[in-house]
Amino acid sequence: MRRRHEVEAEAAGEAAARAAVTVAPVEPDPEAAAFFDVDNTMMRGASIYHFARGLATRGMFTTSDLLKFAVGQAVFRLRGNENPEHIAVARETALAFVAGAKVDDVVRLGEEIYDEVMADRIWGGTRALAQSHLDAGQRVWLVTATPVELARVIAQRLGLTGALGTVAETADGVYTGHLVGDLLHGPAKAEAVRALARREGLDLTRCTAYSDSANDLPMLSLVGQAVAINPDSELREHARKHDWPIKDFRTGRKATMTALPIAAGVGAIAGGVAAGIALRRHYRSQ
């Protein structure tokens, strides 16, 4: 004979099941996607710079080294937007970030440092925008000059589809110090999005792109809807002329933001050089 509490538990369970509201699964929208820049769009500051900071806390190089790079590049930023010479320097110094390092080590450090340093720097407003696309059944990709391994860590931690980033050549699980192609910056971002669209069957007229920088105008102009997030002055003006939505989540932090190495070239130079020094010291000490 069943006990009274067993009967009551069963009745409660059945009642709860009847009262439950069934939420229909999100209907996939295979032809639409959203593309998000990372530095100062999804995250405050430059992701590669934050990675270098994380290496500094591990004693892999000194904070004075990091400060030296940061101050120099902040001045670099204040003098104006990036130019081809700056990007050429960024390309070369981006190699220093991983030359001679093991891929698995960079991924592991990226995961640790994201949790320690980067997670709290994600813009809540931008994260909500990304989630709205996911909720609509659309795929969401990060598109950044940051090395793709670090970009993937950020995408995974945010529950996004994936990431397009600068690809470094590897051999036997070790970075060779050469890039595959070029730094994923400016027009290269647009080419990466276009190539992904072909591979994934995306209709770019139904896609959305988000960025803070006029350097990403090629990518922003490629899709059906462009959105300026925390825009620099040039992008803000362009967005107004073209009736693009503008969203600014900085709220009183603009002065602080100016002092951070935000732009792709700045992040690659300041963070890439610092991280490269740290990783080389690390491997020499082993």
Side-chain angles (χ1 to χ4, degrees), residues 169-187:
E169 183 184 75
T170 63
D172 299 322
V174 175
Y175 294 103
T176 66
H178 300 286
L179 291 181
V180 178
D182 208 342
L183 194 70
L184 198 68
H185 177 270

Side-chain angles (χ1 to χ4, degrees), residues 133-151:
H133 286 282
L134 293 172
D135 292 343
Q138 299 176 8
R139 285 167 285 181
V140 177
W141 297 81
L142 298 180
V143 188
T144 175
T146 291
V148 68
E149 287 80 11
L150 183 55

Side-chain angles (χ1 to χ4, degrees), residues 87-271:
I87 301 307
V89 173
R91 184 186 189 282
E92 296 304 315
T93 54
L95 300 177
F97 168 71
V98 293
K102 297 177 182 177
V103 177
D104 289 346
D105 287 349
V106 171
V107 172
R108 174 180 55 80
L109 288 167
E111 291 172 343
E112 293 177 4
I113 293 170
Y114 176 87
D115 295 338
E116 295 172 8
V117 180
M118 301 182 193
D120 290 341
R121 289 172 169 78
I122 298 296
W123 294 109
T126 310
R127 178 68 187 88
L129 289 170
Q131 187 61 49
S132 70
H133 286 282
L134 293 172
D135 292 343
Q138 299 176 8
R139 285 167 285 181
V140 177
W141 297 81
L142 298 180
V143 188
T144 175
T146 291
V148 68
E149 287 80 11
L150 183 55
R152 285 174 183 157
V153 168
I154 298 170
Q156 289 168 358
R157 287 296 196 263
L158 294 175
L160 308 181
T161 307
L164 300 171
T166 297
V167 179
E169 183 184 75
T170 63
D172 299 322
V174 175
Y175 294 103
T176 66
H178 300 286
L179 291 181
V180 178
D182 208 342
L183 194 70
L184 198 68
H185 177 270
K189 284 189 177 182
E191 290 303 321
V193 168
R194 189 179 283 112
L196 182 72
R198 287 195 299 266
R199 191 190 81 185
E200 300 292 320
L202 299 173
D203 178 355
L204 288 173
T205 66
R206 299 190 58 239
C207 292
T208 310
Y210 300 82
S211 179
D212 72 296
S213 174
N215 292 309
D216 286 338
L217 281 173
M219 177 179 73
L220 293 169
S221 301
L222 187 64
V223 297
Q225 177 65 70
V227 182
I229 303 288
N230 307 324
D232 60 26
S233 57
E234 185 179 348
L235 178 58
R236 184 180 294 273
E237 181 179 355
H238 187 94
R240 285 173 174 166
K241 286 182 179 179
H242 292 79
D243 294 323
W244 291 354
I246 299 173
K247 297 182 182 296
D248 201 321
F249 302 121
R250 289 172 289 195
T251 319
R253 307 179 74 108
K254 293 182 182 180
T256 303
M257 296 304 300
T258 303
L260 289 174
I262 296 167
V266 172
I269 295 171

Side-chain angles (χ1 to χ4, degrees), residues 17-29:
R18 287 194 299 272
V21 176
T22 301
V23 179
V26 175
E27 185 70 25
D29 189 350

